[in-house]
Amino acid sequence: MMHRRNLKLNIFIISFFALISMFCITNIYAYGENSNEIFSEEKIYYNGTIEDDFSDDKIIIVLSKEETNKYKDYTLADFPEVDGKSIVDLSANTVELVKNNELSDKNNSLIDFNEFNRILSIELNTKSKENVLKSIKELEKRDEILSAEPSVSAQLLKTPNDSKLSEQWGLNHIKTYDAWNIAQNANQVMVGVLDSGIDSQHPDLLNNIYKRGIHNTYTTLHRDFTDGSESGIPILEPIDPNGHGTHVAGIIGAQGNNNQGISGICWNVKLVSLRVADEGGYVETLWLINAINYAGSVNIPILNCSLGGDFISPALEEAIQSYRGLLVCAAGNSGDNIDNTPLYPASYDYDNILTVGAIDSNDKRSKWDGFNNLWGLLGDIASNYGETSVDIYAPGTNILSTIPDNKYKENSGTSMATPFVTGAAALLLATNSNLTTLELKNAIINGADSITIKIPGNGCSGDKNQDVLKLNISNSIRLVAFKTNDSGDTIIGTWFNEKDNINIPTNINNVSITRIDDGAFKNYTNLISIIIPNSVTHIGLSSFEGCTSLTNVALSSNLIFIEPSAFKNCASLSSITIPNSVQYIDSSAFEGCSYLQSVSLSNHLVAIGSSAFKGCASLSSIIIPNTVTNIDTSAFEGCSYLQSVILSNHLYAIGTSAFKGCSSLGNI
C-alpha cells in the first residue's frame, strides 16, 4: 500500500527572478493488488503559468500505483488527448527488472518498490508553452495520472569567488586528518556526481574516475542526461564544459598521497559522472529525474547534488522517494531561511536527504561578495539556513579544488560545502559497507560538532543566534568503523562503543575480512546479535568471551577454526550452528554458555577440545558426527540437563571427566 506524501516544490535556481509554480492536491481512491483493498493516493494539479521557465515541448507524468502495477508498454496511442511526437518511460529499467523478476534481492536494492510509481515523458509535436499547459490540463482529467507537469529549468549553485585564504583550510576544520588515521580510501564506494560533468583527464582525478575491468560503452556507468534520454548517453571519458562538476568532484575525491595538487576527502573513490547540467549550468527536471532513477537502478549508494530550484515537481519527488541511497544536497546561496522559503531538493523532508549549509574558517555562516544584511530587511549573498531544513554545515568559503585543463581554483558556495559531506559519507561507507542509508546519515549527524551561527532577525531586531551542527568526520567515522590490523584483513575491535547488533562487512577498504582477532569483542556486554560474513575463516582466542547478552550468532559458512574460549561465558546464547567447514572446536570454546540449549555440530568435525561445552547446563541432547575421533577432557562436564548423547562410530578417545556431572544422562 502506498500513501503519497504532501508534495511541495522541486529544484531551486539562482536567478534575478523567483518563478513560483503552484499545485493543488486532492485524494483519489484505487484498488490494491488485493481487489478488496482500497487505498488513496494524492492527485496533484499543476497551476503554473506561461511565465514560468519550462520546456516548450515536454510533459512529465506520474502514474498511479494501480496503473504502475500493470507493467504495461505505453505508446502515444494510450494518450490520444495530446499531439505527441514520442513517449519515453523514465522508469523503464526498473519496470523491466521487476516485471522479469531479475532482482534477486529487492530488500537490498536502492529502489524502494513501496514508493515506486512509473514516470513517463511525452514530447509534443508542436513546440509551444501554451500547448504544454493545455495538454497538461487534458492529461489531468484521467484518474490513473497522479500528476502532469512541464520539464522546468534549474541552475548550479555558484557565488562569486573571494580572494584565496589558504589551501584546503576546510580539511583540518572538519577533522579530516584525524579521520585519515582510521581510513583514507573508499576504493569500493561509488559516488554519483549530479552536475555538469567531470574532467576525467585531470591528473588529480584520472585514477578515481570509475572504470570497470572491461571499459566500453556497454559497461561504463558514466552518463550524459542532457539529451533527455531515460538512461542517458554512455560516456567513456567524462568531460565538463562548465567546470562546476570538476570542482565538486575534487573535493570528494581528488587523489591523495600522489605528490601533486590537492587531496579529496577520499584519497581513492569511484567517481561516477552523471551529467545533468548543460554548458551554462542549467538543469532540466527531466534530466535530474532520469539521473536519480538511473543511479538507483545501478546501485550507486551516494549522490552529490550541488544544485537546486524553487519549482514544484511531483515527478522529481517520486524519483527521490524511490531512490534508497543517500542524496546530499546543497542548501543554496541566497541567504534565505529555507524553512519558510523552501528550496528543493534541499527542503524535502525524507530520510535519504542530507542538506548542507556553508560556513567559513571562523565557523560563521558563509557570506560572499555582495552586501550585508541590514537588520533583516535586505538579503545577502550567503549560505541559506533553516532550523529544520538544513541538517549540517561544512566549509564553503574559498575552497580550493580541481577545475578543467589540469588547473586548480578557489570557489565558494554551498555547492562546495556539499561535497565535503558527500566525501565523508563515502569514507564512512568504506569502513562499514553494511550501513543502511539512514544509519549513514545518522552517523554524520550524530558525530557533528555544535556551533552557533548568526541568522537574520525579524524586522529591525538585527541578527540572532542559531545553534547548528558542523561536520566532524573524525567523530562520525568512529561511530561506525571497525578496527583492523595493518594488512586490513582482521577485525581487531571497533572504534564505536558497544552496540546491540553488529553486522561485520565482508570487505573493509577493499580488503576481504578473513579473521576475527583474539579478544576483538571480549566483554562487549551490550552485544545481542552478531553476523559474521562468509569471508571469515578464523575466530580467534576469546573473541567473544564475556558477551553475556549475546543471543544470536550467525557464523561464517566458510569458518574453519574456532579458537579457545571464543564464546566462553556467553551466558545468553541459546543455540549455535557450527558450519560444516569447521573441523575442530577448541578448548573452552563455549564453556559457561549456561543457556545454550541447541548445538548443531559440523559434519566434518574431527575433535572437540577440553571443556568445549563445560557448564552448558541447559543443553539437553547432542549428536556427535561420525567424523569425530576425539572428545577431550571435561568437554561436556557440568551439562546437568544433558539427557541424550549419540556418539560417533569412529570415536577413538574420550577424555577424563568428559561427561562428568551430567546428572540427567543415562548410559551412553
Side-chain angles (χ1 to χ4, degrees):
M1 182 186 298
M2 175 181 175
H3 300 282
R4 288 171 52 81
R5 301 174 177 85
N6 288 333
L7 304 178
K8 295 194 177 177
L9 278 166
N10 164 11
I11 52 180
F12 116 71
I13 182 172
I14 300 298
S15 67
F16 293 104
F17 303 100
L19 303 177
I20 302 175
S21 302
M22 300 297 294
F23 281 80
C24 294
I25 302 173
T26 187
N27 285 334
I28 63 171
Y29 297 88
Y31 288 99
E33 294 180 9
N34 181 341
S35 60
N36 295 321
E37 179 189 27
I38 299 177
F39 61 93
S40 66
E41 296 181 295
E42 289 178 348
K43 188 173 178 71
I44 304 165
Y45 295 90
Y46 181 74
N47 284 338
T49 71
I50 199 169
E51 301 300 323
D52 293 339
D53 186 9
F54 59 81
S55 170
D56 61 3
D57 64 349
K58 295 185 183 70
I59 298 173
I60 305 169
I61 62 176
V62 175
L63 300 179
S64 68
K65 195 69 173 177
E66 184 177 21
E67 188 70 17
T68 293
N69 290 337
K70 293 178 180 179
Y71 303 121
K72 179 179 177 181
D73 292 327
Y74 291 95
T75 67
L76 289 172
D78 293 302
F79 303 96
E81 53 270 89
V82 300
D83 179 22
K85 178 180 180 181
S86 64
I87 184 169
V88 178
D89 187 347
L90 305 185
S91 45
N93 286 343
T94 302
V95 171
E96 285 301 311
L97 290 174
V98 177
K99 185 169 66 175
N100 298 325
N101 292 317
E102 293 179 6
L103 281 172
S104 58
D105 188 356
K106 287 186 180 180
N107 290 331
N108 290 327
S109 169
L110 288 180
I111 294 291
D112 188 340
F113 293 93
N114 292 324
E115 297 286 356
F116 173 65
N117 283 54
R118 290 182 79 170
I119 304 172
L120 308 179
S121 173
I122 299 176
E123 184 178 359
L124 303 179
N125 269 316
T126 303
K127 290 192 174 187
S128 163
K129 294 177 76 173
E130 293 92 339
N131 190 30
V132 169
L133 294 177
K134 179 181 177 181
S135 298
I136 286 174
K137 293 305 176 186
E138 291 299 316
L139 291 168
E140 287 176 339
K141 295 177 182 179
R142 298 171 58 160
D143 288 343
E144 69 272 27
I145 295 178
L146 295 183
S147 66
E149 62 184 281
S151 182
V152 300
S153 299
Q155 190 178 21
L156 299 174
L157 302 180
K158 284 186 179 179
T159 59
N161 289 326
D162 293 323
S163 59
K164 184 177 179 180
L165 298 177
S166 64
E167 293 189 352
Q168 292 193 277
W169 64 268
L171 293 176
N172 188 57
H173 201 68
I174 56 173
K175 308 298 182 184
T176 309
Y177 296 107
D178 292 338
W180 284 343
N181 289 330
I182 298 175
Q184 312 86 37
N185 300 315
N187 307 69
Q188 78 274 28
V189 179
M190 289 190 294
V191 176
V193 181
L194 300 166
D195 218 289
S196 60
I198 303 175
D199 178 9
S200 61
Q201 300 307 307
H202 195 292
D204 231 359
L205 296 173
L206 181 65
N207 293 327
N208 286 344
I209 303 296
Y210 180 45
K211 295 180 181 179
R212 292 179 173 178
I214 300 175
H215 187 55
N216 55 44
T217 55
Y218 298 102
T219 61
T220 182
L221 294 185
H222 307 290
R223 291 290 189 276
D224 184 348
F225 292 95
T226 60
D227 72 327
S229 60
E230 185 245 340
S231 295
I233 300 173
I235 302 296
L236 283 176
E237 305 295 337
I239 62 171
D240 180 8
N242 178 279
H244 188 275
T246 301
H247 199 275
V248 165
I251 298 169
I252 299 168
Q255 186 177 357
N257 201 32
N258 65 346
N259 293 316
Q260 64 178 320
I262 64 168
S263 174
I265 298 297
C266 305
W267 292 4
N268 298 104
V269 68
K270 293 178 177 178
L271 294 171
V272 180
S273 176
L274 303 176
R275 187 182 173 197
V276 296
D278 64 16
E279 186 172 351
Y282 285 91
V283 185
E284 277 200 21
T285 323
L286 179 64
W287 307 342
L288 192 58
I289 290 168
N290 287 338
I292 293 172
N293 283 338
Y294 170 78
S297 70
V298 296
N299 287 345
I300 298 175
I302 303 170
L303 294 176
N304 188 94
C305 189
S306 290
L307 53 85
D310 58 2
F311 295 96
I312 296 174
S313 173
L316 177 61
E317 191 168 4
E318 282 291 344
I320 292 172
Q321 289 182 71
S322 295
Y323 174 63
R324 283 183 169 175
L326 184 65
L327 186 65
V328 187
C329 299
N333 309 318
S334 53
D336 293 327
N337 181 349
I338 60 173
D339 289 347
N340 301 329
T341 309
L343 300 172
Y344 293 90
S347 292
Y348 283 133
D349 185 20
Y350 295 125
D351 288 342
N352 66 332
I353 287 182
L354 192 56
T355 297
V356 185
I359 53 172
D360 63 20
S361 58
N362 295 313
D363 282 342
K364 295 181 179 179
R365 184 166 61 97
S366 291
K367 295 184 179 181
W368 305 289
D369 289 348
F371 48 88
N372 291 326
N373 188 18
L374 180 61
W375 302 308
L377 298 176
L378 299 177
D380 50 34
I381 303 176
S383 172
N384 287 342
Y385 59 96
E387 187 174 359
T388 59
S389 297
V390 181
D391 299 299
I392 200 165
Y393 288 77
T397 299
N398 293 32
I399 305 302
L400 183 68
S401 187
T402 49
I403 60 171
D405 300 324
N406 304 341
K407 297 178 181 178
Y408 301 85
K409 183 182 179 182
E410 288 183 353
N411 283 336
S412 297
T414 56
S415 279
M416 285 62 254
T418 302
F420 277 102
V421 178
T422 300
L427 206 60
L428 266 62
L429 196 58
T431 65
N432 189 346
S433 58
N434 289 325
L435 292 174
T436 66
T437 296
L438 184 57
E439 288 171 339
L440 180 58
K441 175 180 176 178
N442 286 341
I444 292 172
I445 291 175
N446 293 336
D449 294 326
S450 295
I451 61 172
T452 301
I453 62 172
K454 296 288 186 181
I455 62 173
N458 297 321
C460 297
S461 60
D463 287 343
K464 64 179 181 180
N465 292 333
Q466 184 176 86
D467 294 331
V468 299
L469 297 177
K470 178 182 77 172
L471 179 64
N472 184 322
I473 302 181
S474 178
N475 283 351
S476 291
I477 204 169
R478 282 170 166 79
L479 294 177
V480 299
F482 292 87
K483 294 180 180 179
T484 59
N485 62 350
D486 290 341
S487 60
D489 62 354
T490 300
I491 299 289
I492 63 175
T494 63
W495 289 99
F496 50 82
N497 294 327
E498 297 177 38
K499 293 183 178 180
D500 293 347
N501 304 297
I502 294 177
N503 187 353
I504 299 174
T506 299
N507 296 282
I508 295 179
N509 294 322
N510 215 31
V511 177
S512 181
I513 300 300
T514 61
R515 177 187 169 101
I516 310 299
D517 205 17
D518 299 347
F521 298 92
K522 186 175 181 179
N523 294 327
Y524 274 41
T525 55
N526 292 328
L527 182 61
I528 295 173
S529 174
I530 185 82
I531 299 176
I532 299 172
N534 289 335
S535 58
V536 171
T537 60
H538 203 125
I539 295 179
L541 176 73
S542 300
S543 290
F544 298 94
E545 182 179 351
C547 294
T548 53
S549 299
L550 185 62
T551 57
N552 300 300
V553 176
L555 293 176
S556 163
S557 61
N558 295 308
L559 192 64
I560 297 174
F561 300 104
I562 301 177
E563 288 200 6
S565 303
F567 294 92
K568 185 177 181 180
N569 294 331
C570 291
S572 299
L573 189 62
S574 61
S575 65
I576 193 76
T577 298
I578 309 298
N580 285 334
S581 51
V582 174
Q583 297 184 12
Y584 190 81
I585 297 177
D586 219 324
S587 58
S588 300
F590 296 94
E591 181 180 350
C593 295
S594 55
Y595 193 62
L596 188 62
Q597 302 172 47
S598 173
V599 177
S600 177
L601 295 178
S602 162
N603 289 330
H604 294 88
L605 195 64
V606 174
I608 299 174
S610 61
S611 303
F613 295 93
K614 183 177 181 180
C616 294
S618 299
L619 187 63
S620 61
S621 65
I622 192 77
I623 299 175
I624 310 297
N626 284 331
T627 51
V628 173
T629 60
N630 186 72
I631 298 176
D632 216 334
T633 304
S634 300
F636 294 92
E637 182 179 346
C639 295
S640 56
Y641 193 62
L642 189 61
Q643 302 174 46
S644 173
V645 176
I646 299 177
L647 295 177
S648 163
N649 292 331
H650 298 88
L651 196 61
Y652 177 76
I654 298 178
T656 305
S657 303
F659 294 93
K660 182 179 180 181
C662 297
S663 55
S664 300
L665 185 64
N667 294 325
I668 59 172

